[in-house]
Amino acid sequence: MRRTTLLALLSILLLPAGTAAAAPTPTPSPAVRDFGNGPERNEEASLVEESAAALKAQAAAPYYHDKTRGYPRKTQLPLPPENPADASIKLGLIPHHAIAAKLNALQALGDRVSAEVLGRSAGGRDLYLVTVTAPESAAEVREQERLRQQIESGRKIPKIAKNRYKTPIFVNGNIHGNEWEGTDASLRVIEELATSPQAATLLKRTRLYFNITANPDGRVLGQRPNSNGFDLNRDMITASQPEARAMRQVMIDTQPVAMLDLHGYVNGTLIEPTTPPHGANYEYDLFITNTYANGLGMETAVNGLGYTPDKDGVFPVQIPFRDSEEGWDDWPPIFTPQYAPFHGAVAAHTIEIPLRVNGSDYTNLPVEELRRRSRINTDVAAAAVRATYGHVLANRDKLVDDQTEVFRRGAAGEPARTVPLGIVPGFGPEDVYTTTYPGGYVIPAGTPAAARLVDHLLANDVRVERAILPFRAGGRFYPPGTYVVDMRQPKRGLANVMLEPGADISPRVDAMYDISGWSHALLWGAEVTSVRDLRVFAEPVRSAAPTGHVPHGDGALALKVADGRDAQALNALLSRGVEVTWSGDTATLPRSARAAAREVAERYGVRFSRAGTAGGAKLAPVRIAAAASADELFTLREMGFSVTPVSTALANAGFDWNQADVLFVSSGLSYAALNPAAKAALDAFLAKGGVVTRGGTGATFNTAAGLLTVTPVAGRGDANGVVRMTSGEHGFVYSPRWFTGLGPEVRAEQSYDAFVSGHWRPNQDGSGGQDAAKGQAAVVSGQDERGARVVMFGTEPMFRNHPKGLFAQVARALYSTSR
């Protein structure tokens, strides 16, 4: 029986350890995820400005792992300018600007260390990948790649070849910028391996890959997210950020059998495997046996350092799978260690080192105490890395065989296996989660959404094919050019976790750490159909076919805004001064704009049609004042809108409302907290501008400002997932809202029908659940007595830049409310 109670799991993370001389009584931290040590999503407006560095990083060429050059590679890394404000310095840790010089010096120590620039962060800082291994000729590198590909195909490699295969290990450091010490531990271990004679055998049989700091922006700035405001450990299956795309490519290219993600801070040190629910698309029998075994080895190594609660404020290791009931799960593949198994990692772990040095501790504790804690944290993280490479060396044949078996089951199209109870001590019925794989998925071609989804699948190393001949599947006829995802492929788990609808796991657990539903098939705008049997003559796809289209002729053109890319194209046209009218959900362009239309059709893949009778209001470029979260700012800018952040503080300081046509409110703007001058200025804007709101902060603003006549109702605060609307469309909710008591000026644009996948329980008093939301208005629109046009979202159409098929809802709201 796992011991931690649900009450403990839901308590706030108490991360202790005072000074060595006068420490308060240490308290162990429960195994509950850290939501970021900051305000709740709807309480603080992001003031992230759009920067040239961020735009350059977004457009940067993807990381390329050279599979032909030998090792060592002796790359001389460029040195960034010194930054004395780097937050790492206070802790006695290495600042980002010193990492390149350190890596250059480590490469010079011998022939074991190779460093390269992996990519650039959102803020334009270099990401560094270090490979530590015994020297290899170019021919030996090519052989390693051939063996890796054979393993990925699911074919066992002969014993003699297996002895030559270098088992890959991937260590990811500092993905949360203010959880610093994984970087320093990695550098310590690299230096040990570079110089130790005892490491020779290890390095002949393994390759160790270190992403030195996955989040250099956060490291420098002392913040959890990157400079775009994104938590990178929530971005793996969305890959909106360049850092996440770099990590993804490393895992695809290196195919590690074991993966560590070094975090902080939980006391005692938390080492996965996790509590239930467990991801249903893993080969969990293979995963849990290896991950638990390595977890136990790391526990022994960390506890063996000799740190104690009384002397150091450090408690013994906790393993959530063994020691907790729920609340630290591996259900969603948004986290790096939960994404890695789809690329073959049969042992993958989050490691939470023990002593907090961020948040209020960073600000308030003496420097000497902070540095004491960081030294201990570095020791703990380094011990976990050493234990892992020792485990891999001792168990390499089993790990390689189990990785091969993961891929073999997928390639063979075998049914998902139910994990036997007791496969490891404590594995019970509460741990059993499984899925049913279809024969394949069919994605009709020809739309920007379909092309985006196909390219995303390919970027994740999912195999996609294109039908050469017409075929029938699931009782439906499909033409040539249709995309198909045959589930008989090595990475079928990743294909399925993206394309299946998901499951409503509300009945099985009370508390989840983060999102529980994410279906790309339902949220990314493409039509996706699962079929039991897939028989089609098809060819492999390297990239989606172009979808842009402008009809022949010389008449006016229409563009229906049904996707975020349609909004991108329309905003590009508006920025060029093209005359546009807007009606309903469609923009109309004059015949003189055909050349510009062809250009944006090619660039964004959008499809124009012949316009009917001209009508609608003239549409100008829409300028947005946004009191919004960072992911929403990013998404609005990605769609090409001009966005200026605003907040209560900025409004009270004299915000210039003349620079805005529409106000977007979801975070950090309180009408009630405005001073008289700010309130008067905003009221003047509301008499001529539009308003779009989202969530609880938006609903409160609507009421306080006297806009639409609605009564907002809050669902359970941690509810999240995919919902179906009464229209048949799908949406996404996170702390959902709905609206009752609609006034005569208010129209329900969308209403909840059913919950599809995720986690949504009612509150203890029975309110706020799925049943209460059914049939209620989720999105409303109207016009107040001043003439302000308003749209209110109770859903989350831009959440973490993920539900891409919903972005157009926001774009249409912005166009329709602007005047």
Side-chain angles (χ1 to χ4, degrees):
M1 176 63 69
R2 300 181 174 109
R3 61 173 172 80
T4 303
T5 66
L6 178 61
L7 181 62
L9 283 166
L10 295 178
S11 65
I12 294 181
L13 224 58
L14 300 174
L15 298 164
T19 63
T25 302
T27 307
S29 307
V32 58
R33 300 259 190 184
D34 179 357
F35 285 86
N37 298 317
E40 192 271 331
R41 174 178 164 82
N42 289 331
E43 293 176 356
E44 184 175 88
S46 173
L47 303 180
V48 173
E49 296 288 349
E50 190 167 33
S51 69
L55 292 172
K56 184 177 180 181
Q58 286 294 117
Y63 159 70
Y64 170 70
H65 182 68
D66 193 331
K67 301 172 184 178
T68 59
R69 288 177 57 204
Y71 290 107
R73 295 181 175 175
K74 300 290 186 181
T75 304
Q76 191 70 14
L77 300 174
L79 305 183
E82 183 175 347
N83 179 6
D86 189 306
S88 312
I89 296 172
K90 183 177 182 179
L91 303 174
L93 302 173
I94 190 168
H96 180 262
H97 61 256
I99 292 175
K102 176 69 173 178
L103 294 178
N104 286 339
L106 289 173
Q107 291 184 97
L109 288 177
D111 56 6
R112 297 175 175 179
V113 178
S114 299
E116 58 191 303
V117 174
L118 173 59
R120 286 194 175 89
S121 69
R125 296 179 175 91
D126 284 346
L127 305 165
Y128 303 112
L129 179 69
V130 173
T131 305
V132 186
T133 194
E136 298 174 26
S137 67
E140 288 170 328
V141 168
R142 290 192 294 271
E143 183 191 34
Q144 292 295 311
E145 175 60 15
R146 286 195 298 271
L147 293 173
R148 186 202 66 78
Q149 291 180 8
Q150 183 172 338
I151 293 168
E152 186 189 341
S153 72
R155 294 177 292 122
K156 282 192 174 183
I157 53 179
K159 179 70 174 177
I160 189 170
K162 188 187 297 183
N163 288 337
R164 296 196 303 271
Y165 184 58
K166 289 186 171 181
T167 316
I169 302 167
F170 178 43
V171 179
N172 201 46
N174 197 202
I175 192 171
H176 289 147
N178 61 352
E179 298 167 12
W180 288 271
E181 292 92 344
T183 293
D184 299 80
S186 294
L187 291 171
R188 178 186 295 178
V189 172
I190 292 167
E191 186 161 4
E192 292 169 356
L193 296 175
T195 57
S196 170
Q198 288 74 36
T201 300
L202 170 73
L203 300 182
K204 287 179 181 177
R205 308 202 76 185
T206 62
R207 283 184 186 167
L208 292 95
Y209 299 96
F210 295 85
N211 186 13
I212 300 298
T213 169
N215 184 1
D217 297 347
R219 184 176 188 84
V220 170
L221 300 172
Q223 64 184 34
R224 182 184 180 94
N226 71 353
S227 64
N228 280 337
F230 275 72
D231 185 330
L232 299 172
N233 205 38
R234 308 292 184 274
D235 194 39
M236 289 313 300
I237 58 163
T238 305
S240 69
Q241 300 302 294
E243 300 94 334
R245 294 192 291 273
M247 287 181 274
R248 176 183 70 189
Q249 198 60 47
V250 169
M251 285 184 271
I252 291 171
D253 289 341
T254 65
Q255 203 169 291
V257 298
M259 186 268 176
L260 300 185
D261 203 25
L262 301 175
H263 287 255
Y265 300 94
V266 176
N267 196 3
T269 299
L270 183 146
I271 297 175
E272 291 178 346
T274 74
T275 68
H278 303 301
N281 286 282
Y282 303 125
E283 303 297 336
Y284 214 78
D285 57 331
L286 305 175
F287 180 79
I288 189 62
T289 51
N290 291 295
T291 301
Y292 193 37
N294 190 42
L296 293 172
M298 286 189 282
E299 177 183 42
T300 298
V302 170
N303 288 342
L305 293 172
Y307 294 118
T308 68
D310 293 337
K311 176 171 65 74
D312 309 290
V314 176
F315 283 81
V317 166
Q318 55 183 313
I319 297 176
F321 169 78
R322 180 191 65 198
D323 300 330
S324 302
E325 293 285 351
E326 61 179 39
W328 192 285
D329 58 86
D330 58 7
W331 179 254
I334 59 176
F335 317 116
T336 317
Q338 278 64 54
Y339 177 79
F342 295 115
H343 296 295
V346 290
H349 312 258
T350 295
I351 310 296
E352 295 276 353
I353 52 183
L355 301 181
R356 193 173 80 170
V357 295
N358 61 9
S360 60
D361 288 342
Y362 183 92
T363 303
N364 298 327
L365 288 179
V367 170
E368 295 78 10
E369 170 61 10
L370 290 172
R371 293 186 174 188
R372 181 190 75 85
R373 294 184 180 194
S374 281
R375 286 192 296 271
I376 292 173
N377 289 336
T378 304
D379 288 346
V380 169
V385 176
R386 293 188 202 101
T388 295
Y389 70 61
H391 178 82
V392 170
L393 183 62
N395 299 276
R396 61 187 305 277
D397 284 358
K398 181 181 187 304
L399 291 163
V400 172
D401 286 346
D402 284 355
Q403 184 182 76
T404 307
E405 175 66 5
V406 168
F407 295 137
R408 188 202 66 78
R409 292 178 187 177
E414 291 187 356
R417 299 193 181 189
T418 300
V419 184
L421 302 184
I423 189 170
V424 297
F427 193 95
E430 72 278 9
D431 291 298
V432 178
Y433 287 80
T434 190
T435 191
T436 300
Y437 293 112
Y441 290 94
V442 181
I443 306 172
T447 66
R452 176 179 56 230
L453 179 58
V454 166
D455 283 336
H456 187 69
L457 291 168
L458 294 169
N460 282 273
D461 208 30
V462 171
R463 298 177 184 178
V464 182
E465 297 174 297
R466 183 185 292 110
I468 297 174
L469 299 175
F471 68 100
R472 184 175 294 276
R476 179 177 166 184
F477 174 83
Y478 293 96
T482 301
Y483 299 110
V484 295
V485 180
D486 191 327
M487 292 299 287
R488 293 168 296 185
Q489 61 172 291
K491 297 183 180 179
R492 58 114 178 245
L494 185 52
N496 206 54
V497 83
M498 290 183 176
L499 297 178
E500 69 176 353
D504 179 1
I505 58 171
S506 309
R508 295 199 61 178
V509 291
D510 183 65
M512 294 290 292
Y513 156 43
D514 206 278
I515 65 165
S516 309
W518 55 84
S519 174
H520 294 66
L522 299 182
L523 297 177
W524 276 43
E527 180 186 348
V528 181
T529 303
S530 65
V531 295
R532 181 179 300 177
D533 186 46
L534 184 62
R535 303 185 183 203
V536 55
F537 186 46
E539 60 184 358
V541 173
R542 293 185 178 273
S543 63
T547 57
H549 172 72
V550 176
H552 295 298
D554 61 357
L557 297 171
L559 178 63
K560 182 177 180 179
V561 178
D563 189 85
R565 290 189 177 176
D566 297 320
Q568 284 181 297
L570 179 53
N571 285 331
L573 292 168
L574 289 168
S575 70
R576 294 175 53 171
V578 173
E579 181 181 330
V580 177
T581 57
W582 177 260
S583 179
D585 59 3
T586 301
T588 301
L589 284 62
R591 56 186 295 181
S592 60
R594 278 183 163 268
R598 282 191 289 271
E599 183 178 324
V600 298
E602 181 178 356
R603 181 175 180 183
Y604 298 107
V606 300
R607 301 182 66 83
F608 289 86
S609 61
R610 292 183 177 87
T613 304
K618 184 177 179 180
L619 184 66
V622 179
R623 302 168 301 165
I624 303 168
S629 56
D631 52 345
E632 291 170 320
L633 288 183
F634 180 88
T635 301
L636 291 169
R637 289 167 173 157
E638 184 180 61
M639 286 192 286
F641 288 103
S642 172
V643 184
T644 303
V646 67
S647 65
T648 303
L650 289 174
N652 282 334
F655 186 79
D656 181 10
W657 292 100
N658 290 319
Q659 62 186 317
D661 305 300
V662 180
L663 170 62
F664 183 94
V665 183
S666 67
S667 302
L669 180 61
S670 170
Y671 186 86
L674 297 178
N675 61 40
K679 193 171 292 186
L682 178 53
D683 286 342
F685 168 81
L686 294 175
K688 61 179 181 178
V691 179
V692 177
T693 75
R694 192 270 303 160
T697 298
T700 300
F701 178 89
N702 172 81
T703 301
L707 299 175
L708 298 186
T709 306
V710 298
T711 300
V713 181
R716 179 166 143 164
D718 64 350
N720 70 86
V722 181
V723 293
R724 186 174 66 245
M725 302 299 181
T726 54
S727 62
E729 298 174 295
H730 289 89
F732 182 81
V733 294
Y734 184 95
S735 188
R737 296 291 192 278
W738 55 91
F739 307 102
T740 62
L742 307 188
E745 83 281 14
V746 181
R747 170 183 172 179
E749 299 289 346
Q750 286 188 334
S751 298
Y752 293 116
D753 180 23
F755 190 58
V756 177
S757 59
H759 186 264
W760 187 351
R761 283 189 168 189
N763 296 310
Q764 289 188 348
D765 63 3
S767 66
Q770 303 174 26
D771 292 341
K774 186 176 176 63
Q776 301 295 337
V779 182
V780 298
S781 67
Q783 191 167 354
D784 79 348
E785 60 185 13
R786 288 166 292 196
R789 298 171 182 171
V790 182
V791 176
M792 301 179 66
F793 287 92
T795 57
E796 279 270 8
M798 297 188 288
F799 184 78
R800 295 178 184 163
N801 196 240
H802 181 72
K804 299 184 185 299
L806 310 183
F807 294 174
Q809 295 179 12
V810 179
R812 294 194 298 266
L814 294 167
Y815 295 136
S816 298
T817 57
S818 68
R819 291 188 290 180

